[in-house]
Amino acid sequence: VEVETDVVSNTSGSARVKLGHTDILVGVKAEMGTPKLERPSEGYLEFFVDCSANATPEFEGRGGDDLGTEIANTLYRIFNNKSSVDLRSLCISPREHCWVLYVDVLLLECGGNLFDAISIAVKAALFNTRIPRVRVLEDEEGSKDIELSDDPYDCIRLSVENVPCIVTLCKIGCRHVVDATLQEEACSLASLLVSVTSKGVVTCMRKVGKGSLDPESIFEMMESSKRVGKVLHMSLQSLLHKEESLGPKRPKVGFLG
């Protein structure tokens, strides 16, 4: 897996991930909005997935729309719990102002194991996200004024400690394969998408494909996903911290490299 953060200049955070022949670019843009009625003291995330026609011939025309919607819905399910991202830290003033994080996922190339690569890229982009610090000033008449900090280093960072990564397990015969290629995916009739946190906690599960899975193999696949997920998180976290420690002078490859 190749991971690089801070590759798009006009975003709050970005990351590019190459996993075999799968290439993903994720950009996060923080914009001010109004909290949702049911969650007045929280910000929220919005996901948009664009399947580039260059990624695979199947995406030409409207071919990638269904897959894009499916990926976005899966990401909403993963992040629709309080433990993955601290949404309260995105609230500026309850019921009035909050930060909305627009997460744009661009599929540059599809070479199998798509969901895993996207989840890694989203986590890396959120780690890289910097949100300007805000002060709410209230005058004597009670009207509020919002002041954004001009200092690029005076910013809020999101904790991605509990952001899960997806581990896809493809059932082939009596066994299952992790990190399947396109050829291996073609041999599989049923796959299990499992989102796993760095502590090995399963937060969400989804079956894909027309085939069936017996309960015993599901438990076996879940154990594999926990084991693989822990190692994946550990490697990703150490890589992100190592890259950040190099500072702004580090050489960049970028998504055109």
Side-chain angles (χ1 to χ4, degrees):
V1 183
E2 290 176 34
V3 180
E4 188 181 9
T5 60
D6 202 18
V7 286
V8 186
S9 58
N10 61 342
T11 58
S12 306
S14 59
R16 186 241 186 154
V17 167
K18 275 196 85 169
L19 180 61
H21 290 292
T22 298
D23 201 347
I24 309 291
L25 180 68
V26 174
V28 180
K29 204 89 184 260
E31 289 186 12
M32 221 171 275
T34 310
K36 292 181 177 177
L37 286 171
E38 64 272 19
R39 293 180 176 176
S41 55
E42 292 179 10
Y44 56 95
L45 284 78
E46 292 281 1
F47 295 98
F48 299 96
V49 181
D50 184 13
C51 303
S52 167
N54 300 330
T56 173
E58 295 165 33
F59 291 166
E60 283 183 28
R62 295 183 63 82
D65 287 2
D66 291 344
L67 179 64
T69 306
E70 186 189 343
I71 294 166
N73 289 341
T74 304
L75 290 170
Y76 276 119
R77 280 187 64 185
I78 289 171
F79 285 91
N80 192 25
N81 62 61
K82 290 177 182 175
S83 57
S84 58
V85 174
D86 180 18
L87 297 174
R88 286 179 173 274
S89 65
L90 297 175
C91 183
I92 298 165
S93 57
R95 294 187 179 84
E96 290 173 2
H97 303 287
C98 71
W99 286 109
V100 182
L101 300 183
Y102 292 97
V103 182
D104 291 300
V105 180
L106 176 62
L107 276 59
L108 298 170
E109 193 180 347
C110 291
N113 208 16
L114 203 54
F115 284 90
D116 297 29
I118 288 169
S119 68
I120 293 168
V122 168
K123 180 163 181 168
L126 288 172
F127 174 84
N128 181 239
T129 299
R130 285 158 175 78
I131 303 162
R133 202 171 286 280
V134 173
R135 285 196 306 158
V136 181
L137 307 169
E138 197 170 336
D139 61 17
E140 292 166 7
E141 292 164 14
S143 62
K144 291 178 181 175
D145 195 25
I146 287 172
E147 191 181 273
L148 261 75
S149 173
D150 296 333
D151 185 357
Y153 294 100
D154 185 24
C155 56
I156 303 164
R157 299 285 302 273
L158 283 173
S159 169
V160 295
E161 180 70 30
N162 295 323
V163 172
C165 281
I166 296 174
V167 178
T168 304
L169 305 112
C170 295
K171 185 87 187 291
I172 301 174
C174 303
R175 295 283 169 204
H176 56 268
V177 175
V178 175
D179 190 15
T181 61
L182 278 177
Q183 291 86 347
E184 287 165 340
E185 283 180 4
C187 301
S188 173
L189 290 174
S191 304
L192 203 64
L193 304 181
V194 186
S195 73
V196 188
T197 67
S198 55
K199 294 183 175 71
V201 177
V202 173
T203 61
C204 179
M205 225 164 65
R206 190 171 153 249
K207 181 190 158 288
V208 178
K210 298 182 180 77
S212 59
L213 297 169
D214 63 279
E216 199 173 307
S217 67
I218 291 172
F219 287 121
E220 202 179 306
M221 288 160 102
M222 280 175 69
E223 288 306 311
S224 294
S225 71
K226 288 178 189 175
R227 193 169 62 250
V228 171
K230 275 182 173 177
V231 176
L232 181 65
H233 277 289
M234 212 184 299
S235 307
L236 181 61
Q237 287 280 29
S238 67
L239 189 97
L240 291 172
H241 287 297
K242 186 180 173 185
E243 188 187 51
E244 194 177 48
S245 67
L246 296 173
K249 292 192 175 115
R250 69 181 170 87
K252 290 185 185 180
V253 176
F255 59 93
L256 297 172

